[in-house]
Amino acid sequence: MKHEVPTTRTMFVDEVKITVIAGGGGHGCMSFRREKFIPHGGPDGGDGGNGGNIILVADDSLNTLHHLAGKHHWRAERGIHGMGKKRHGRCGEDVVIPVPPGTIIFDNDHGILLRDLTDPNQRVVVAKGGTGGKGNTRFRTATNQAPRDFEKGTPGQERNLRLELKLIADVGLVGKPNAGKSTLLSRLSAARPKIADYPFTTLTPFLGIVELSGYRRYVMADLPGLIEGAHTGAGLGDEFLRHVERTRLLVHMVDISPVTGSALEDYETISNELEQYSSQLGDKPKLIVANKMDLTESEEHLAEFGKEFGAEIIPISAVTGKGLDTLQEKIWAKLQEMDRE
Ligand SMILES: Nc1nc2c(ncn2[C@@H]2O[C@H](COP(=O)(O)OP(=O)(O)OP(=O)(O)O)[C@@H](O)[C@H]2O)c(=O)[nH]1
Ligand SMILES: [Mg+2]
């Protein structure tokens, strides 16, 4: 089956609905041996084959559900019917659908969670193929030498599924709209999110693979800007906060040159939103980044922010590239430190 290898430019699709229909079992066969000079041949009907299953497997090379968006029905092959001369029908082939790790599978008719595919190569049968029926050969007994009984195959399971992807990125970029999150991702990776000097430029999470020297790499997610009230649905925030939940490390970016208010106020607004959404989010390890250090008076703003804030702030300019190497190394060191814990 063809499935595209995602690039960092692939649009992020986080929910798809599909119908999966497993193959039915083949029918058992009713047949009697017919040979010259053997007037009363015994039963020789073979069994039907089992229907193919539909299987979802977590595939490491995928990071979106994009490839499923255009195809809603997935059918597996039915089992072949049994035949005379005791020939059994072949089983139907399974259909294997690759999904990115982090895909959560729901039965959409009953609203129940079926499985959470977290580990690469983890697989789950989402629709079981029907069982092939027995041929009449199997009904032969001492008292019934010529059975006309046989079984039909049972139908394959059919299900409406909803697949939801919580993106798995190592690092999630959070901050107010216009802080420069997309600019940073485009500097650090091959991803090309849209950048503009108006708020809410980024409407969906965007993934990029960041590569450092020595084959080191991690996945960074650029997330839509957050504003006050995001956790209750203001702006675009809350729909995407659930994606942030699965990132390991947050990079909280503040614009050090805000036209109104201060960097500290901005920082606190966003921190508060994360905490309100869930304590798990509030407690996530994070690095604080002050962006737009190329603008005038940014040094003064940084000093002020630092004085009031009292934790490490990493100054950068996503536009000029200043401080990006240091930021990269600090992100990497933090990820390593978390691995060791
Ligand atoms: N001077 C300066 N401008 C920057 C810097 N980084 C980003 N910008 C500008 O800030 C504006 C917003 O940048 P984006 O990267 O789109 O900001 P964002 O945080 O992704 O914004 P949303 O997607 O709306 O949340 C753009 O006009 C950028 O060119 C920087 O380091 N220095
Ligand atoms: Mg953006």
Side-chain angles (χ1 to χ4, degrees):
M1 199 197 91
K2 179 177 173 295
H3 64 267
E4 59 184 300
V5 176
T7 68
T8 47
R9 273 155 247 207
T10 312
M11 199 188 74
F12 185 81
V13 174
D14 69 348
E15 194 183 272
V16 293
K17 289 179 182 160
I18 57 170
T19 299
V20 287
I21 305 152
H27 303 324
C29 173
M30 206 262 292
S31 156
F32 293 92
R33 196 148 50 99
R34 283 171 205 281
E35 277 173 55
K36 259 186 185 167
F37 315 118
I38 305 179
H40 301 292
D44 74 350
D47 299 343
N50 296 333
N53 302 303
I54 307 233
I55 297 169
L56 259 54
V57 59
D59 181 334
D60 227 3
S61 71
L62 295 173
N63 66 5
T64 76
L65 292 168
H66 202 74
H67 58 297
L68 303 183
K71 183 168 173 181
H72 300 294
H73 286 78
W74 296 77
R75 279 173 203 280
E77 210 183 14
R78 65 165 305 131
I80 304 297
H81 301 318
M83 290 153 284
K85 298 187 182 160
K86 294 187 184 167
R87 286 170 301 169
H88 295 321
R90 181 173 61 73
C91 291
E93 297 253 7
D94 292 343
V95 167
V96 178
I97 308 174
V99 294
T103 300
I104 307 171
I105 308 161
F106 294 93
D107 179 321
N108 202 36
D109 295 325
H110 305 97
I112 48 171
L113 186 144
L114 296 176
R115 189 72 82 81
D116 197 344
L117 285 179
T118 48
D119 302 323
N121 301 323
Q122 199 182 338
R123 46 172 59 214
V124 56
V125 175
V126 287
K128 193 158 172 32
T131 309
K134 289 177 183 152
N136 68 336
T137 311
R138 308 264 231 127
F139 292 91
R140 180 180 194 159
T141 60
T143 50
N144 187 357
Q145 293 290 315
R148 303 188 70 83
D149 303 310
F150 66 96
E151 285 174 348
K152 286 193 163 177
T154 62
Q157 203 178 9
E158 174 169 346
R159 257 182 171 151
N160 294 309
L161 301 179
R162 181 166 62 84
L163 307 181
E164 191 183 298
L165 174 65
K166 284 200 182 188
L167 117 194
I168 299 184
D170 302 296
V171 180
L173 274 174
V174 293
K176 283 194 131 180
N178 261 343
K181 301 176 293 298
S182 303
T183 308
L184 178 65
L185 185 73
S186 68
R187 284 299 295 236
L188 299 184
S189 74
R192 290 291 169 262
K194 188 172 167 201
I195 295 166
D197 73 350
Y198 53 82
F200 300 121
T201 310
T202 304
L203 301 175
T204 55
F206 222 97
L207 288 180
I209 297 167
V210 182
E211 291 185 331
L212 288 80
S213 59
Y215 303 106
R216 298 174 296 165
R217 48 156 50 195
Y218 60 85
V219 177
M220 185 180 248
D222 172 22
L223 300 155
L226 295 171
I227 56 167
E228 190 166 1
H231 74 279
T232 58
L236 293 164
D238 99 301
E239 192 183 328
F240 303 111
L241 279 171
R242 66 197 163 99
H243 300 302
V244 191
E245 280 189 308
R246 284 207 174 175
T247 61
R248 298 162 62 205
L249 172 66
L250 298 183
V251 168
H252 186 154
M253 178 182 271
V254 289
D255 179 347
I256 202 66
S257 62
V259 193
T260 56
S262 73
L264 182 67
E265 272 173 39
D266 286 356
Y267 174 81
E268 283 173 343
T269 306
I270 300 307
S271 283
N272 186 43
E273 288 309 319
L274 297 174
E275 254 156 53
Q276 297 279 322
Y277 184 77
S278 78
S279 59
Q280 193 219 345
L281 256 191
D283 294 343
K284 219 171 251 302
K286 60 183 157 188
L287 296 176
I288 321 302
V289 169
N291 189 32
K292 308 198 184 178
M293 285 302 293
D294 55 291
L295 297 177
T296 52
E297 292 182 42
S298 54
E299 291 294 345
E300 289 86 333
H301 287 143
L302 180 68
E304 234 169 82
F305 184 25
K307 208 168 58 202
E308 294 168 274
F309 185 55
E312 188 189 17
I313 301 164
I314 306 162
I316 64 161
S317 167
V319 162
T320 68
K322 196 172 159 229
L324 295 189
D325 287 345
T326 312
L327 173 62
Q328 291 269 55
E329 291 302 331
K330 285 194 190 277
I331 290 172
W332 184 258
K334 189 78 188 170
L335 290 172
Q336 296 300 102
E337 182 192 315
M338 289 160 58
D339 278 346
R340 282 193 296 271
E341 272 163 15

Coordinates of all heavy atoms in Angstrom, one line a residue, residues 173-186 193-203 222-226 236 253 255 257 290-295 316-322, ligand 1:
L173 N 6.6 24.6 21.3 CA 6.8 26.1 21.4 C 5.5 26.8 21.8 O 4.5 26.7 21.1 CB 7.2 26.6 20.0 CG 8.6 26.6 19.5 CD1 8.7 27.1 18.1 CD2 9.4 27.5 20.4
V174 N 5.5 27.4 22.9 CA 4.3 28.1 23.3 C 4.7 29.6 23.5 O 5.8 30.0 23.7 CB 3.7 27.6 24.6 CG1 3.2 26.2 24.4 CG2 4.7 27.6 25.8
G175 N 3.6 30.4 23.4 CA 3.8 31.8 23.6 C 2.7 32.6 23.0 O 1.8 32.0 22.4
K176 N 2.7 33.9 23.3 CA 1.6 34.7 22.7 C 1.7 34.8 21.2 O 2.8 34.6 20.6 CB 1.7 36.1 23.3 CG 1.2 36.3 24.7 CD 1.0 37.7 25.1 CE -0.3 38.0 25.7 NZ -0.5 39.4 26.1
P177 N 0.6 35.2 20.6 CA 0.7 35.4 19.1 C 1.8 36.4 18.8 O 2.0 37.3 19.6 CB -0.7 35.9 18.8 CG -1.6 35.5 19.9 CD -0.7 35.4 21.1
N178 N 2.4 36.2 17.7 CA 3.4 37.2 17.2 C 4.8 37.2 18.0 O 5.6 38.0 17.7 CB 2.9 38.6 17.3 CG 2.4 39.1 16.0 OD1 2.8 38.5 14.9 ND2 1.7 40.2 16.0
A179 N 4.9 36.2 18.9 CA 6.2 36.2 19.7 C 7.3 35.8 18.8 O 8.5 36.2 19.1 CB 6.0 35.2 20.8
G180 N 7.0 35.1 17.7 CA 8.1 34.7 16.8 C 8.3 33.2 16.8 O 9.4 32.7 16.4
K181 N 7.3 32.4 17.2 CA 7.5 31.0 17.3 C 7.7 30.3 15.9 O 8.6 29.5 15.8 CB 6.2 30.4 18.0 CG 5.9 30.9 19.3 CD 4.6 30.4 19.9 CE 3.4 30.8 19.2 NZ 3.1 32.3 19.2
S182 N 6.9 30.7 15.0 CA 7.1 30.1 13.6 C 8.4 30.5 13.0 O 9.0 29.7 12.3 CB 5.9 30.6 12.7 OG 4.7 30.2 13.3
T183 N 8.8 31.8 13.3 CA 10.1 32.2 12.8 C 11.2 31.3 13.3 O 12.1 30.9 12.6 CB 10.3 33.7 13.2 OG1 9.2 34.5 12.8 CG2 11.6 34.2 12.5
L184 N 11.1 31.0 14.6 CA 12.1 30.2 15.2 C 12.1 28.8 14.6 O 13.2 28.3 14.2 CB 11.9 30.0 16.7 CG 12.9 29.1 17.4 CD1 14.4 29.7 17.3 CD2 12.6 28.8 18.9
L185 N 11.0 28.2 14.4 CA 10.9 26.8 13.8 C 11.5 26.8 12.4 O 12.2 25.9 12.0 CB 9.5 26.3 13.8 CG 9.4 24.8 13.3 CD1 9.9 23.8 14.4 CD2 8.0 24.4 12.9
S186 N 11.2 27.9 11.7 CA 11.7 27.9 10.3 C 13.2 28.1 10.3 O 13.9 27.7 9.3 CB 11.0 29.0 9.5 OG 11.4 30.3 10.0
P193 N 6.5 27.1 8.2 CA 5.2 27.6 8.7 C 5.1 29.1 8.2 O 6.1 29.7 7.9 CB 5.3 27.5 10.2 CG 6.7 27.6 10.5 CD 7.4 26.9 9.3
K194 N 3.9 29.5 8.1 CA 3.6 30.9 7.6 C 4.0 31.9 8.7 O 3.8 31.6 9.9 CB 2.2 31.1 7.3 CG 1.8 32.4 6.6 CD 0.4 32.4 6.2 CE 0.0 33.8 5.8 NZ -1.5 33.9 5.8
I195 N 4.7 32.9 8.3 CA 5.1 33.9 9.3 C 4.5 35.3 8.9 O 4.6 35.6 7.7 CB 6.7 34.0 9.3 CG1 7.3 32.7 9.8 CG2 7.2 35.2 10.1 CD1 8.8 32.6 9.5
A196 N 3.9 36.0 9.8 CA 3.4 37.3 9.5 C 3.3 38.2 10.7 O 3.2 37.6 11.8 CB 2.1 37.2 8.8
D197 N 3.3 39.5 10.5 CA 3.3 40.3 11.7 C 1.8 40.6 12.2 O 1.5 41.7 12.6 CB 4.1 41.6 11.5 CG 3.4 42.6 10.6 OD1 2.4 42.2 10.0 OD2 3.9 43.7 10.5
Y198 N 1.0 39.6 12.1 CA -0.3 39.8 12.8 C -0.6 38.5 13.6 O 0.0 37.5 13.4 CB -1.5 40.0 11.7 CG -1.5 38.9 10.7 CD1 -2.1 37.7 10.9 CD2 -1.0 39.2 9.4 CE1 -2.2 36.8 9.9 CE2 -1.0 38.3 8.4 CZ -1.6 37.0 8.6 OH -1.7 36.1 7.6
P199 N -1.4 38.6 14.7 CA -1.6 37.5 15.6 C -2.4 36.4 14.9 O -3.1 36.6 13.9 CB -2.4 38.1 16.7 CG -2.9 39.4 16.3 CD -2.0 39.9 15.1
F200 N -2.2 35.2 15.4 CA -2.9 34.0 14.9 C -2.6 33.7 13.5 O -3.5 33.3 12.7 CB -4.4 34.1 15.1 CG -4.8 34.3 16.6 CD1 -5.5 35.4 17.0 CD2 -4.4 33.3 17.5 CE1 -5.8 35.6 18.3 CE2 -4.7 33.5 18.8 CZ -5.4 34.6 19.3
T201 N -1.3 33.8 13.1 CA -0.9 33.4 11.8 C -0.9 31.9 11.7 O -1.3 31.3 10.7 CB 0.5 33.9 11.5 OG1 0.6 35.3 11.9 CG2 0.9 33.7 10.1
T202 N -0.5 31.3 12.8 CA -0.4 29.8 12.8 C -1.7 29.3 13.3 O -2.1 29.6 14.5 CB 0.7 29.4 13.7 OG1 1.9 30.0 13.2 CG2 0.9 27.9 13.7
L203 N -2.4 28.5 12.5 CA -3.7 28.0 12.9 C -3.8 26.6 13.3 O -4.7 26.1 13.9 CB -4.7 28.2 11.7 CG -4.9 29.7 11.3 CD1 -5.8 29.8 10.0 CD2 -5.4 30.5 12.4
D222 N 5.5 23.8 16.5 CA 5.1 25.2 16.6 C 3.6 25.2 16.8 O 2.9 24.6 16.1 CB 5.5 25.9 15.2 CG 4.9 27.3 15.1 OD1 4.7 27.9 16.2 OD2 4.8 27.7 14.0
L223 N 3.2 25.8 17.8 CA 1.8 25.8 18.2 C 1.1 27.1 18.0 O 1.8 28.2 18.1 CB 1.6 25.3 19.6 CG 2.2 23.9 19.8 CD1 2.7 23.6 21.2 CD2 1.3 22.8 19.3
P224 N -0.2 27.1 17.8 CA -0.9 28.4 17.6 C -0.7 29.3 18.9 O -0.6 28.7 20.0 CB -2.3 28.0 17.4 CG -2.2 26.6 16.9 CD -1.1 26.0 17.6
G225 N -0.7 30.6 18.7 CA -0.5 31.5 19.8 C -1.6 31.3 20.9 O -2.7 31.0 20.6
L226 N -1.2 31.5 22.1 CA -2.1 31.4 23.2 C -2.4 32.8 23.7 O -1.6 33.7 23.7 CB -1.5 30.6 24.4 CG -1.3 29.1 24.1 CD1 -0.5 28.5 25.2 CD2 -2.6 28.4 23.9
L236 N -7.4 30.6 19.7 CA -7.3 29.2 19.0 C -6.8 28.2 20.0 O -6.6 27.1 19.7 CB -6.4 29.3 17.8 CG -6.8 30.1 16.7 CD1 -5.6 30.4 15.8 CD2 -7.9 29.4 15.9
M253 N 8.2 31.1 24.7 CA 8.8 32.3 24.0 C 8.1 33.6 24.3 O 6.9 33.6 24.2 CB 8.8 32.0 22.5 CG 9.4 33.2 21.8 SD 9.4 32.9 20.0 CE 10.9 32.0 19.8
D255 N 8.1 37.8 23.6 CA 8.6 38.9 22.8 C 9.1 39.9 23.8 O 8.4 40.4 24.7 CB 7.4 39.5 22.0 CG 7.8 40.6 21.2 OD1 8.9 41.2 21.3 OD2 6.9 41.0 20.3
S257 N 10.1 42.8 23.3 CA 9.8 44.2 22.9 C 8.4 44.5 22.8 O 7.9 45.0 21.8 CB 10.5 44.5 21.6 OG 9.9 43.7 20.6
A290 N 13.7 34.7 25.4 CA 13.3 36.1 25.1 C 13.7 36.3 23.7 O 14.9 36.3 23.3 CB 14.0 37.0 26.0
N291 N 12.7 36.5 22.8 CA 13.0 36.7 21.4 C 12.9 38.2 21.0 O 12.5 39.1 21.8 CB 11.9 36.0 20.6 CG 12.2 35.9 19.1 OD1 13.4 35.9 18.7 ND2 11.2 35.9 18.3
K292 N 13.5 38.5 19.8 CA 13.5 39.8 19.2 C 14.6 40.7 19.9 O 14.4 41.9 20.1 CB 12.1 40.5 19.2 CG 11.1 39.6 18.6 CD 9.8 40.4 18.1 CE 8.8 39.4 17.6 NZ 7.5 40.0 17.2
M293 N 15.7 40.1 20.3 CA 16.8 40.8 21.0 C 17.5 41.8 20.0 O 18.3 42.6 20.5 CB 17.8 39.8 21.5 CG 17.3 39.1 22.8 SD 16.9 40.2 24.2 CE 18.5 40.9 24.5
D294 N 17.1 41.7 18.7 CA 17.7 42.6 17.8 C 17.1 44.0 17.9 O 17.6 45.0 17.3 CB 17.6 42.1 16.4 CG 16.2 41.7 16.0 OD1 15.6 40.8 16.6 OD2 15.6 42.4 15.2
L295 N 15.9 44.1 18.5 CA 15.2 45.4 18.5 C 15.8 46.4 19.6 O 16.4 45.9 20.5 CB 13.7 45.2 18.7 CG 13.0 44.4 17.6 CD1 11.6 44.2 18.0 CD2 13.1 45.1 16.3
I316 N 17.5 35.4 22.4 CA 17.7 35.1 21.0 C 17.1 36.2 20.1 O 16.3 37.0 20.5 CB 17.1 33.7 20.6 CG1 15.6 33.8 20.7 CG2 17.7 32.6 21.5 CD1 14.9 32.7 19.9
S317 N 17.6 36.1 18.9 CA 16.8 36.8 17.8 C 16.6 35.7 16.7 O 17.5 35.3 16.1 CB 17.6 37.9 17.2 OG 17.0 38.4 16.1
A318 N 15.3 35.4 16.6 CA 15.0 34.4 15.6 C 15.3 34.9 14.2 O 15.5 34.2 13.3 CB 13.5 34.0 15.7
V319 N 15.2 36.2 14.0 CA 15.5 36.8 12.7 C 17.0 36.9 12.4 O 17.4 36.4 11.3 CB 14.8 38.2 12.6 CG1 15.4 39.0 11.5 CG2 13.3 38.1 12.4
T320 N 17.8 37.4 13.3 CA 19.2 37.5 13.0 C 20.0 36.1 13.2 O 21.1 35.9 12.8 CB 19.9 38.6 13.8 OG1 20.0 38.2 15.1 CG2 19.2 39.9 13.6
G321 N 19.4 35.3 14.0 CA 20.0 34.0 14.4 C 20.9 34.1 15.6 O 21.4 33.1 16.1
K322 N 20.9 35.2 16.2 CA 21.8 35.4 17.4 C 21.2 34.5 18.6 O 20.0 34.5 18.8 CB 21.8 36.8 17.9 CG 22.9 37.2 18.8 CD 23.0 38.7 19.1 CE 23.7 38.9 20.4 NZ 23.0 39.8 21.3
Ligands
LIG1 N1 12.7 42.1 14.9 C1 12.3 40.8 15.0 N2 11.2 40.4 14.5 C2 10.9 39.1 14.7 C3 11.7 38.1 15.3 N3 11.1 36.9 15.3 C4 9.9 37.1 14.7 N4 9.8 38.4 14.3 C5 8.6 38.9 13.6 O1 7.5 38.8 14.4 C6 6.3 38.6 13.6 C7 5.6 37.4 14.1 O2 6.4 36.3 13.9 P1 5.8 34.8 13.8 O3 6.9 33.9 13.7 O4 4.7 34.7 12.8 O5 5.1 34.7 15.3 P2 4.2 33.5 15.9 O6 4.6 33.5 17.4 O7 4.4 32.3 15.2 O8 2.8 34.1 15.8 P3 1.4 33.3 15.8 O9 1.5 32.3 14.7 O10 0.4 34.4 15.3 O11 1.1 32.8 17.1 C8 6.8 38.5 12.2 O12 6.6 39.7 11.6 C9 8.3 38.2 12.3 O13 9.0 38.6 11.2 C10 13.0 38.6 15.8 O14 13.8 37.9 16.4 N5 13.2 39.9 15.6

